[in-house]
Amino acid sequence: MLLSPLARRRSKSAMGAVKGNWLFAAVLLAGVVLRVITMLGFRSALWFNDSYDFLRIADDPFPHPLRPSGYGILLWGLKPFHSLALVTLLQHAAIAGLAVAAYRMLVRDFEVRRTWAALAVTPILLDSYQIELEHLLLSDTLFIVLVFGATLLLARPGATGWRRAAAAGALLGMASVTRTVGLPLFVIVLLYLVVRRTRWPVCAALAVTFVLPVGAYATWFQQEHGRFQMTGVDGVFLWGRTAAFADCDAHTPPPDLASLCPYGAKENRPASSHQIWEENSPTGWSNGKAFSQETNQRAQRFAFWAIRNQPADYLRVVSYDFFVRTFSWHRSQYPTVGTEARYHFPTKPTARKPGLPVLGGGDRRTVVYEYSHGTGRTHIVEPYAEFMRDYQERVSVPGTVLGIVLLAGAAGIVRRRARARTALFWTPAVALLAIPPVTVDFDYRYMLPAMPFACFAAALAWGRRRPAAAVEVPEAVAAPEAQPADA
């Protein structure tokens, strides 16, 4: 059958695009194929302990006391389809689309060489743990899309208009009600605009659209729980961090905090985060029940007491998690064997306790059935599943490589290679890696959101086709003709 002239022109255009970007096209194709194989091999989704909480939010939205409800609200929007497979499909598609947008911006807007640009998006497209994360019912994929998308918006060349800043602020606000680690990223972005001497209405637009979703969510939380906060566990999480080293024998705590002393010798204690949730924890955790405001406040007071009395021990555990665990070549079974195993493609459906209570009402079986009209059990189909398990054993980005990429970005900032924009991506990468060890604990899944930021920063620093200008033009003195329509 003969092609119409329009079809022939489109075919030639597509072939020309592939020919000019053959490396990226190959990486993108491989990434899409791997995600299709994952969808075929693990139907319809993979499960984590937090997944049931998000589905409980989706069944009847409420501000969850342990974690922000942003991801659950997204699931609520998809609930009429009653399809967990649709959720994972959209998560895979969102990451692939984000990689396309990042590559296009690197090549078109920043004149990065095509090979460097393709290498910059290769980890997010081909890393096996990233692909597995997208197939889990967890908030991390949505968080990556929101925060990286916001940063791409602000990084575009030219003076930032208020509409663009407002869109970025809204994305960061939605990211913060998805994962609270998004809150410090707003400060980084605002400082970027200030350093570039952006006009105050632009900064105000960013701040207003960021505060709107965050403030609305905190107000909703206050109406339900009596506290103007994002969650009710900031003190409990910090207690878990200090439970790794707090020594109540060497330092006597205040009498009303003594019951929060961790059990056992320091060298035999479980991981920081696990001590919060283990049976008979000093926190009093019980499945299906929230921590009281009093418990959260007492836990926070205990944590501050431990840090004041043992600042060197606090720095030691934080430094070990950040420098050793994060940038190690090999993965360890941390924080627990079971938790780390959830980040691997399974050989059989994950063992579940369907009758376990879920905070907010119901149990795991009922919340899954209400959302999906089925059991939600993962069906493992060979040989697709075996292919992905073998792939995961061989293809991933070790922590050491991520560290090298970060060092490359830092060196580019020092050498003034697109310094401001490189720092805009490099700084969030470091923050996303450092904040969990400082406030809660290390977890391998917290490394993945930092990866696209680190790779983008390195590509900006070293991959440009021509040297970066010695001094970036401040937006406050940009030529009028360079202003976008929304300035």
Side-chain angles (χ1 to χ4, degrees):
M1 183 174 63
L2 297 177
L3 296 174
S4 66
L6 178 60
R8 286 197 296 270
R9 286 196 299 271
R10 287 179 176 176
S11 177
K12 289 180 180 179
S13 177
M15 291 297 294
V18 171
K19 184 177 180 180
N21 303 279
W22 64 268
L23 180 57
F24 172 71
V27 172
L28 177 62
L29 178 61
V32 171
V33 169
L34 288 168
R35 285 161 174 80
V36 170
I37 295 173
T38 300
M39 294 287 296
L40 293 173
F42 303 93
R43 307 173 190 177
S44 53
L46 297 175
W47 295 87
F48 198 81
N49 291 336
D50 300 355
S51 303
Y52 305 98
D53 289 330
F54 291 123
L55 286 186
R56 177 62 186 85
I57 297 166
D59 289 337
D60 185 14
F62 71 105
H64 200 282
L66 301 184
R67 53 188 54 85
S69 298
Y71 180 62
I73 294 172
L74 171 68
L75 297 181
W76 171 75
L78 299 172
K79 184 182 177 182
F81 298 100
H82 301 296
S83 174
L84 298 173
L86 175 63
V87 175
T88 55
L89 173 63
L90 291 177
Q91 291 182 170
H92 288 306
I95 292 298
L98 191 68
V100 172
Y103 175 82
R104 185 172 182 267
M105 181 172 285
L106 282 171
V107 172
R108 187 192 67 173
D109 295 331
F110 296 112
E111 297 185 333
V112 171
R113 291 188 290 273
R114 296 176 192 272
T115 300
W116 275 84
L119 291 175
V121 299
T122 294
I124 197 172
L125 284 172
L126 301 187
D127 182 88
S128 57
Y129 292 100
Q130 171 63 43
I131 297 172
E132 201 268 353
L133 182 70
E134 296 162 27
H135 213 64
L136 283 161
L137 289 178
L138 285 176
S139 60
D140 301 74
T141 299
L142 174 62
F143 178 77
I144 292 171
V145 172
L146 291 172
V147 295
F148 196 64
T151 313
L152 289 177
L153 267 179
L154 287 179
R156 286 175 53 194
T160 303
W162 69 267
R163 288 189 179 89
R164 198 202 309 177
L171 290 176
L172 286 172
M174 290 185 287
S176 298
V177 301
T178 301
R179 280 188 59 199
T180 53
V181 73
L183 293 170
L185 301 187
F186 165 73
V187 178
I188 294 173
V189 167
L190 184 60
L191 286 175
Y192 166 76
L193 293 181
V194 171
V195 167
R196 298 202 66 196
R197 287 180 278 173
T198 307
R199 294 166 301 160
W200 73 264
V202 177
C203 296
L206 177 82
V208 167
T209 55
F210 171 80
V211 169
L212 281 175
V214 173
Y217 186 85
T219 301
W220 187 29
F221 192 93
Q222 183 181 38
Q223 292 173 348
E224 292 290 328
H225 305 292
R227 289 167 278 176
F228 190 77
Q229 294 176 292
M230 303 292 289
T231 70
V233 290
D234 53 339
V236 172
F237 283 167
L238 190 59
W239 175 90
R241 174 73 291 181
T242 59
F245 62 83
D247 190 342
C248 292
D249 293 328
H251 307 275
T252 303
D256 63 326
L257 302 180
S259 62
L260 288 169
C261 289
Y263 302 140
K266 289 188 291 184
E267 58 272 14
N268 297 325
R269 292 176 190 170
S272 290
S273 55
H274 184 64
Q275 291 191 62
I276 298 171
W277 316 109
E278 68 176 342
E279 187 176 358
N280 297 322
S281 169
T283 62
W285 164 249
S286 178
N287 284 297
K289 296 181 180 180
F291 295 107
S292 68
Q293 182 176 3
E294 179 188 2
T295 298
N296 187 61
Q297 291 174 343
R298 289 179 62 239
Q300 186 176 70
R301 288 174 53 213
F302 181 94
F304 289 153
W305 168 82
I307 293 171
R308 284 196 304 270
N309 283 277
Q310 299 173 254
D313 289 330
Y314 174 67
L315 290 175
R316 175 180 55 80
V317 296
V318 169
S319 299
Y320 186 85
D321 280 358
F322 180 74
F323 291 106
V324 179
R325 294 194 197 277
T326 301
F327 302 117
S328 174
W329 184 268
H330 298 289
R331 295 169 68 102
S332 61
Q333 294 178 319
Y334 189 91
T336 68
V337 174
T339 298
E340 201 274 332
R342 298 293 176 93
Y343 304 140
H344 296 259
F345 289 110
T347 57
K348 57 183 180 180
T350 304
R352 294 192 284 175
K353 298 179 179 179
L356 205 64
V358 176
L359 203 156
D363 56 38
R364 290 185 172 184
R365 178 188 289 111
T366 59
V367 298
V368 173
Y369 185 82
E370 182 177 346
Y371 187 86
S372 66
H373 288 186
T375 64
R377 184 177 177 85
T378 305
H379 297 282
I380 297 180
V381 182
E382 308 295 354
Y384 310 108
E386 182 180 6
F387 178 88
M388 291 308 301
R389 288 193 296 268
D390 291 342
Y391 179 82
Q392 192 168 38
E393 290 181 1
R394 295 168 174 81
V395 183
S396 64
V397 179
T400 307
V401 174
L402 177 59
I404 293 172
V405 173
L406 279 173
L407 288 176
I413 295 172
V414 171
R415 295 191 62 180
R416 296 175 177 269
R417 293 176 178 265
R419 171 178 285 181
R421 288 192 175 93
T422 302
L424 176 62
F425 289 92
W426 186 86
T427 309
V430 175
L432 288 169
L433 293 173
I435 291 172
V438 169
T439 60
V440 189
D441 197 0
F442 170 84
D443 194 297
Y444 283 105
R445 87 178 208 242
Y446 298 154
M447 294 172 58
L448 293 172
M451 193 183 304
F453 286 95
C455 293
F456 206 96
L460 277 178
W462 301 101
R464 304 185 75 176
R465 290 195 295 270
R466 61 183 183 184
V471 179
E472 296 193 31
V473 179
E475 295 186 7
V477 297
E481 58 271 20
Q483 301 288 333
D486 64 345

